[in-house]
Amino acid sequence: MYRLSLGESSSSPREAIVAKWLKAEGQVVTAGDSIVRLETGDANLELTSAVAGTVRQIAIREGLACRVGQVLCYVGDPAEPIPAVSPVNDAPTVSARASAQESKETVQTPTTIPEEALMSPDTPSSSSSPSSSPTTGPTGQVIPILMPQAGQSMEEGTVLEWKVAEGDSISEGQVILEIETDKANMDVEAVDSGRLAKIVAQAGAIVEVKVPIAYLADNDADVEAFIAGQGMAPEAPADPSPSVTRDETPVTGAKTASSVRSSGRVKASPAARKLAAQKNIDLNRVSQGSGPGGRVLTTDLASVEAAPGSSVGGQLSKMRRAIARNLLFSKQTIPHFYAKATIEAQRLYETYGRVKSGQFQCTINDFVVAACARSVREFEPFRGQFQADETIKVFPDCNIGLAVGTDEGLTVPVVLHADRLTLDALAAEIRNIVEGARRGKMANVGQGVFTITNLGMFGVESFQAIINPPESAILAVGALREDVKVENGAIKPTRLMALTLSVDHRVIDGVVAARFLARVRELLEAPEQLL
Amino acid sequence: MSTEYDITVIGAGPGGYVAALKAARMGARVAVVEKGHLGGACLNVGCIPSKALLASAELLHKIRAAGSMGVKVHGGIEFDWAKIQKRKDKVIRKLRGGIKGLLGAGDVHLMTGTATFKAAGTLTVTTSEGKEETIHTKNTIIATGSVPARVPGWPTDPQWVCTSDEALHWKALPKRLLIVGGGVIGCEFACMMHEYGVEVHVVEMLDGLLTGMESQLGDALEASFRQRGIRILTSAKVEGMTVGQTDVTVSVSGEAPLAVDKVLVAIGRRPNTEHLGLDAIGLAPDRGFLRVDDRMQTEVAGVYCIGDANGRCLLAHAASAQGEAAVQDALGRGEAFSLPIPSAVYTFPEVAAVGMTTREATEQGIPVKVGQFPIGYLGKAMAVGEEGGFARVVRHRDDNTLLGVHLIGHNATEIIEVATAMLTMKADTQALAKMVFAHPTLGEAVKEAAEDSFEAALHLPPREFAKVVAAVEEVSIQ
């Protein structure tokens, strides 16, 4: 059964009114069918379904308001039972309501282990592990706390901070930890009360959804027995990531045969593997794992000293990994070429000062964005993207991305239709999305055709940027600085600013890039045109 | 000395003094007991002083944008805070004088002091010098209003943490101000203080500004504030504050510690019913509020409560209207009071609303149709350079009854009156759509929005439906 709702996006409204149902209960929906029309008073929306099935229940009738994320209808198999919701006043779901507006939301931990989590621990060693079938059950009651799935796209979450410690009594509804997903940070509430016997995913751990991160039990021994009985790693493994050391080293020392696989890999629980990586411990130095089949557990590592010397970078955040992959891909597959122009920015500086003090809040960068947006509109190749099938696809909209540095790393929120906005609206929008990005809320990510990156505020004079794929160009903006210029043989004090354009030569040729840069210069040197 | 009155009103705010004047006009013997200044919170620490300060701020805002209207201002634009304060004080004094004159002319006996119940119909009035006087009265109208709520545990020194009571009378402006609460008071102060050059941060626990109102209004105001550079943190909570030598450091959820010069707490108001001796007449307030029926009478016959103290609607004009209703009931000519009460927010752009929101209608299961019209499409808006905002009309989807009108834009607080009139007359939304509005006016947006609710706004292109893929989540139903 699927629940359909108005999804969150920066352009979608927070609330809309159900104007008309285009499908009735009992009607069959195929993917792509329009199902309901929503009105906001401003923009009207027609929601289509991405899934096929039968409309089992309409949760909000015509004329009533729905919030982003609130269930509108259920689509499923006619044989499935109908969900028990009041068709008039379905309460908004916590996560959906929250995710529309907040960077932080509260979710609850599911405490039932889905079968697939039990069956496939997804550790590299599990398939051949002799202990993977459940053997002994727990003696006392053990309730696993699972990584919650907040939103259907969430695949894994990072444990940021535990608010409770092992041994604490926790109660239902209490916020017990904070997690980070690819979208937001959120507090996780307990759905059961009890004694927190064991935390298996410490801060920093990346855990798949619905995989245990901690256990409630009265006795610690029960938990160990439970874990051993499930034959399951007490923790989900992290994705392989470039900087995490994995123990692929063949066994050399005195190892007991039982802890070594024929491949030469030390058998260890993922938690132990990670802990070892964090503490820079060579798993080969563990003489005997105490887990089933000699598997090395975290408890076995306590007595092992860290290897001296080399340090291990620790787990990469999801964002860091994405940056690494993207930029490596870009630099390796896109033939970059660069063009630099130093523009005279005296008038730009004065215009900016006048506008800011007398008209509206703005920055120099807003002018740059406006000039680029207009130039991108005029130069079609700058809206082109090189496709895998060796064609170039041109996009109609001048959506401009802005590289924003945050504590976690680089993000590129995007201003949609930047060419259509007046400078004051553009400035406001930029402020909005940049502030949003700094708070973890990304606007229109991935919808850009061109990116601007500005390090001028740090005094950087000029630099060359890496194209943000699948885009074809990026402009690196340097500091607007006082300098001198030679004009007709005379030295004149003025202000200068360097613009360095990086372009994908597969899509944009040198002459086009030069003309584009000249147009940007023309607009910025007479910035009144942008007002 | 002991005197018998038909009606004694406790509190001379916008509820109390209006009730007293009404009672006197109806021929009753009336006393008013007031412990402070005439005019209550509204006149002394509320509506009026804030509007006076906002008026100067708005003028400043306009002058700063004069260039776009082709008006050149030579030299710098400056303001004189002391003078702005003085002007505000003068407005207050003048209005206080006006109330005093009206009460005197109406032959209302004004007593200065605090009143406590001895029994139903017997009150003790204690003057500031400690003199006690017992008065007998057939009816009592409690109109003691409210005070700004504070947060328990936060510093109370007004040098650091204040409420609107103190903030309206600041001798000097802070450089950096944190406003806790994005409701009406928080928004008005944010707007005003930003214009006076104060760095303003607003922290709101809920997910938007002006959350009781139609959500689009708060969203639009938030966008306007952000554009001006006012920092808005929604769904955020102040987790603690530390007073230092020269500033206050505030920790807000998910943010780096923020150092400010002052914190303004604008989280709501608390009823002023603690020292009335209500035990003596067997009345128990509900979280401070005295619950009343639609005639404003409490559970004790002859004892009425109006305005903020009854918690029905914390607005001055609601208090006045309730005051008149209470007097009419006390004098035997009462009827249930159920008129629509408009609300007004004096930010620029202004925000105003009357009637039901979409959300309220949905909660009551009433199907709605909305119409919306951008003010910027109007000739008048362009001509006067005030193009922001919109009018939004909410009507009953099936029977066309006008349910609510929601405005944001220049002069919205004046324009809302037309909607209030229609709603008071229980008009059909067609009547509002058909009504002839003067051209060019900003009020035309209301007509167009009413028309739009029938998809008949002539100045709007027909709306199309943009296709969007619905979010899907797989659920298992047990």
Side-chain angles (χ1 to χ4, degrees):
Chain A
M1 182 86 64
Y2 299 99
R3 32 175 296 173
L4 271 56
S5 59
L6 172 59
E8 101 179 85
S9 92
S10 68
S11 53
S12 73
R14 266 205 289 170
E15 190 172 72
I17 294 155
V18 175
K20 189 163 180 55
W21 280 100
L22 304 171
K23 295 280 176 190
E25 286 180 5
Q27 262 189 297
V28 172
V29 176
T30 53
D33 277 2
S34 293
I35 45 167
V36 64
R37 287 184 164 171
L38 303 177
E39 289 180 339
T40 63
D42 185 12
N44 289 334
L45 304 172
E46 190 169 295
L47 290 194
T48 60
S49 174
V51 292
T54 300
V55 177
R56 298 306 315 281
Q57 178 147 35
I58 283 174
I60 301 179
R61 61 183 165 88
E62 291 175 5
L64 300 189
C66 70
R67 292 189 166 123
V68 165
Q70 188 175 0
V71 58
L72 284 161
C73 70
Y74 290 91
V75 171
D77 192 296
E80 282 181 280
I82 291 177
V85 293
S86 141
V88 178
N89 288 327
D90 181 41
T93 59
V94 175
S95 64
R97 167 70 171 147
S99 61
Q101 283 299 313
E102 303 167 12
S103 60
K104 207 166 167 155
E105 56 190 271
T106 299
V107 291
Q108 294 193 321
T109 57
T111 45
T112 47
I113 304 184
E115 277 185 1
E116 64 273 20
L118 290 176
M119 299 308 289
S120 67
D122 195 26
T123 70
S125 59
S126 69
S127 53
S128 60
S129 164
S131 67
S132 65
S133 58
T135 47
T136 51
T139 50
Q141 200 199 6
V142 177
I143 304 173
I145 296 174
L146 310 181
M147 174 61 75
Q149 180 166 24
Q152 77 31 260
S153 68
M154 176 173 169
E155 290 171 1
E156 59 185 23
T158 306
V159 176
L160 287 183
E161 188 195 351
W162 281 95
K163 313 276 187 191
V164 288
E166 286 183 0
D168 286 359
S169 282
I170 63 171
S171 48
E172 188 187 330
Q174 182 181 354
V175 172
I176 54 172
L177 79 155
E178 189 178 354
I179 61 168
E180 178 191 61
T181 72
D182 49 346
K183 294 209 177 65
N185 294 351
M186 56 193 85
D187 288 335
V188 178
E189 286 175 7
V191 287
D192 285 283
S193 302
R195 174 178 169 275
L196 186 70
K198 189 174 181 65
I199 291 173
V200 290
Q202 299 296 345
I206 299 175
V207 182
E208 274 180 48
V209 298
K210 295 177 185 164
V211 167
I213 50 178
Y215 293 87
L216 297 182
D218 291 336
N219 295 309
D220 293 351
D222 290 342
V223 176
E224 295 298 338
F226 183 89
I227 293 168
Q230 301 294 351
M232 181 188 161
E235 186 182 327
D239 275 355
S241 75
S243 80
V244 174
T245 306
R246 290 201 159 239
D247 289 278
E248 304 290 357
T249 336
V251 182
T252 52
K255 288 282 156 294
T256 56
S258 64
S259 68
V260 182
R261 275 177 64 197
S262 55
S263 68
R265 189 183 163 93
V266 176
K267 205 157 65 182
S269 75
R273 211 170 274 289
K274 182 126 75 25
L275 186 64
Q278 279 167 0
K279 292 188 161 181
N280 196 20
I281 292 172
D282 179 357
L283 282 177
N284 290 305
R285 294 172 57 225
V286 182
S287 55
Q288 167 74 55
S290 60
R295 172 184 287 223
V296 175
L297 300 182
T298 49
T299 44
D300 300 327
L301 297 176
S303 57
V304 182
E305 299 265 315
S310 67
S311 77
V312 177
Q315 199 80 34
L316 287 191
S317 71
K318 226 175 147 67
M319 190 186 243
R320 200 69 246 159
R321 267 187 288 160
I323 294 168
R325 286 178 189 157
N326 253 337
L327 294 184
L328 185 67
F329 171 79
S330 175
K331 201 73 182 183
Q332 282 183 339
T333 65
I334 299 178
H336 283 62
F337 96 91
Y338 308 94
K340 178 179 159 185
T342 299
I343 69 161
E344 189 173 347
Q346 182 66 33
R347 268 167 80 181
L348 174 60
Y349 184 76
E350 284 163 7
T351 307
Y352 151 75
R354 200 169 59 242
V355 169
K356 192 181 178 196
S357 64
Q359 296 179 39
F360 52 84
Q361 183 93 11
C362 65
T363 66
I364 295 279
N365 204 47
D366 297 339
F367 283 85
V368 178
V369 175
C372 287
R374 199 175 290 188
S375 308
V376 166
R377 187 180 66 206
E378 293 168 8
F379 290 78
E380 189 181 275
F382 279 77
R383 284 180 271 119
Q385 292 179 1
F386 197 83
Q387 306 290 303
D389 60 359
E390 307 213 321
T391 57
I392 291 170
K393 189 171 173 189
V394 177
F395 291 82
D397 299 328
C398 301
N399 301 340
I400 306 290
L402 297 162
V404 177
T406 69
D407 294 344
E408 284 75 38
L410 173 74
T411 69
V412 186
V414 172
V415 184
L416 299 181
H417 306 298
D419 60 322
R420 296 193 210 159
L421 299 176
T422 57
L423 190 63
D424 58 335
L426 181 66
E429 179 64 10
I430 290 173
R431 216 163 31 244
N432 234 335
I433 65 163
V434 170
E435 180 153 336
R438 297 211 165 106
R439 298 176 62 194
K441 191 175 159 185
M442 301 307 152
N444 317 312
V445 166
Q447 297 187 48
V449 296
F450 183 88
T451 297
I452 294 169
T453 171
N454 190 335
L455 294 176
M457 60 292 251
F458 302 106
V460 171
E461 276 189 25
S462 74
F463 63 107
Q464 296 175 333
I466 301 176
I467 292 167
N468 179 29
E471 297 171 11
S472 295
I474 183 167
L475 186 75
V477 182
L480 193 159
R481 60 187 199 276
E482 282 197 281
D483 210 327
V484 292
K485 190 181 173 185
V486 181
E487 207 170 68
N488 302 326
I491 288 177
K492 142 181 147 178
T494 182
R495 284 184 161 81
L496 300 178
M497 185 164 79
L499 303 176
T500 310
L501 185 66
S502 312
V503 298
D504 181 347
H505 214 323
R506 296 172 302 178
V507 181
I508 299 163
D509 285 335
V511 174
V512 180
R515 286 199 189 120
F516 175 89
L517 204 51
R519 177 61 177 149
V520 173
R521 171 208 286 269
E522 192 177 285
L523 288 167
L524 288 176
E525 290 190 345
E528 300 79 10
Q529 307 170 68
L530 298 169
L531 287 175
Chain B
M1 192 187 94
S2 151
T3 326
E4 164 116 354
Y5 294 100
D6 294 318
I7 295 182
T8 299
V9 185
I10 308 174
Y17 92 77
V18 167
L21 289 177
K22 178 78 181 176
R25 187 62 62 89
M26 289 175 75
R29 277 165 299 152
V30 194
V32 177
V33 186
E34 170 60 54
K35 68 173 178 185
H37 290 296
L38 294 178
C42 166
L43 172 50
N44 297 290
V45 284
C47 326
I48 299 298
S50 60
K51 261 81 272 173
L53 298 182
L54 275 159
S56 297
E58 190 172 9
L59 184 58
L60 201 53
H61 184 70
K62 286 203 157 195
I63 294 171
R64 282 175 178 150
S68 66
M69 301 286 285
V71 177
K72 270 193 180 167
V73 181
H74 291 287
I77 302 162
E78 284 176 24
F79 65 90
D80 178 344
W81 181 245
K83 197 156 183 189
I84 289 169
Q85 280 284 347
K86 240 186 194 161
R87 188 188 84 88
K88 172 212 72 187
D89 292 337
K90 195 173 156 192
V91 171
I92 294 175
R93 275 198 307 276
K94 194 167 171 189
L95 281 166
R96 274 185 205 148
I99 295 172
K100 193 163 189 181
L102 285 168
L103 291 175
D107 208 14
V108 173
H109 182 205
L110 178 62
M111 305 170 83
T112 306
T114 54
T116 44
F117 281 97
K118 285 281 151 219
T122 309
L123 291 165
T124 303
V125 176
T126 314
T127 64
S128 54
E129 296 90 47
K131 219 176 86 188
E132 283 194 5
E133 184 176 345
T134 301
I135 56 175
H136 297 284
T137 181
K138 288 182 185 145
N139 298 284
T140 310
I141 298 178
I142 298 168
T144 47
S146 63
V147 291
R150 283 181 164 273
V151 180
W154 285 6
T156 50
D157 183 348
Q159 189 193 342
W160 307 114
V161 180
C162 0
T163 66
S164 54
D165 279 5
E166 295 95 23
L168 287 166
H169 302 292
W170 277 337
K171 294 274 176 277
L173 287 167
K175 278 199 176 63
R176 301 160 300 177
L177 172 67
L178 177 87
I179 299 176
V180 185
V184 176
I185 296 172
C187 285
E188 289 188 356
F189 267 96
C191 184
M192 172 205 308
M193 287 298 154
H194 173 74
E195 209 54 49
Y196 289 129
V198 178
E199 178 189 309
V200 179
H201 307 259
V202 180
V203 176
E204 166 59 51
M205 252 165 73
L206 299 175
D207 62 359
L209 300 180
L210 303 177
T211 46
M213 302 182 85
E214 188 83 348
S215 66
Q216 287 77 6
L217 299 179
D219 290 351
L221 188 66
E222 186 177 331
S224 169
F225 277 4
R226 283 189 194 279
Q227 185 180 345
R228 264 174 262 177
I230 298 174
R231 187 148 174 257
I232 311 280
L233 302 169
T234 50
S235 305
K237 198 170 174 236
V238 172
E239 287 170 340
M241 58 180 76
T242 324
V243 173
Q245 292 291 317
T246 54
D247 54 15
V248 196
T249 304
V250 185
S251 56
V252 179
S253 52
E255 298 289 325
L258 183 66
V260 293
D261 303 302
K262 275 189 166 57
V263 175
L264 171 61
V265 181
I267 54 166
R269 297 182 66 89
R270 203 163 50 72
N272 225 348
T273 53
E274 279 161 31
H275 307 294
L276 288 166
L278 294 171
D279 290 350
I281 54 168
L283 269 184
D286 172 6
R287 281 169 301 148
F289 295 108
L290 276 171
R291 299 301 174 196
V292 293
D293 61 19
D294 287 343
R295 294 153 184 260
M296 306 302 139
Q297 187 162 244
T298 64
E299 286 157 31
V300 177
V303 177
Y304 296 80
C305 182
I306 61 169
D308 291 3
N310 70 26
R312 288 197 158 202
C313 177
L314 276 71
L315 292 169
H317 45 278
S320 301
Q322 292 173 3
E324 292 194 50
V327 166
Q328 282 186 316
D329 193 62
L331 298 180
R333 280 176 250 174
E335 54 184 28
F337 175 81
S338 64
L339 294 177
I341 296 173
S343 48
V345 186
Y346 295 83
T347 46
F348 27 95
E350 291 184 338
V351 179
V354 63
M356 232 180 244
T357 63
T358 313
R359 175 74 13 214
E360 283 163 353
T362 293
E363 277 161 8
Q364 296 179 26
I366 300 170
V368 300
K369 186 89 175 63
V370 298
Q372 192 167 313
F373 191 84
I375 284 174
Y377 286 18
L378 297 169
K380 176 74 179 289
M382 292 183 210
V384 302
E386 295 282 0
E387 297 181 35
F390 55 82
R392 185 170 162 98
V393 164
V394 180
R395 71 165 170 88
H396 195 294
R397 180 186 165 93
D398 305 326
D399 68 14
N400 297 352
T401 312
L402 181 62
L403 297 174
V405 176
H406 310 275
L407 301 174
I408 177 166
H410 186 59
N411 276 354
T413 62
E414 305 291 343
I415 299 166
I416 199 66
E417 317 286 35
V418 64
T420 310
M422 295 304 255
L423 215 54
T424 303
M425 305 306 291
K426 299 187 167 57
D428 185 278
T429 310
Q430 283 286 6
L432 186 57
K434 281 184 190 155
M435 185 179 142
V436 179
F437 283 68
H439 177 75
T441 58
L442 297 176
E444 289 173 281
V446 176
K447 175 189 170 74
E448 293 274 355
E451 287 176 347
D452 183 45
S453 78
F454 296 101
E455 284 159 28
L458 298 179
H459 296 90
L460 275 181
R463 292 224 173 85
E464 291 180 357
F465 285 86
K467 282 197 181 178
V468 175
V469 181
V472 182
E473 190 173 349
E474 193 165 359
V475 285
S476 61
I477 309 288
Q478 301 303 324

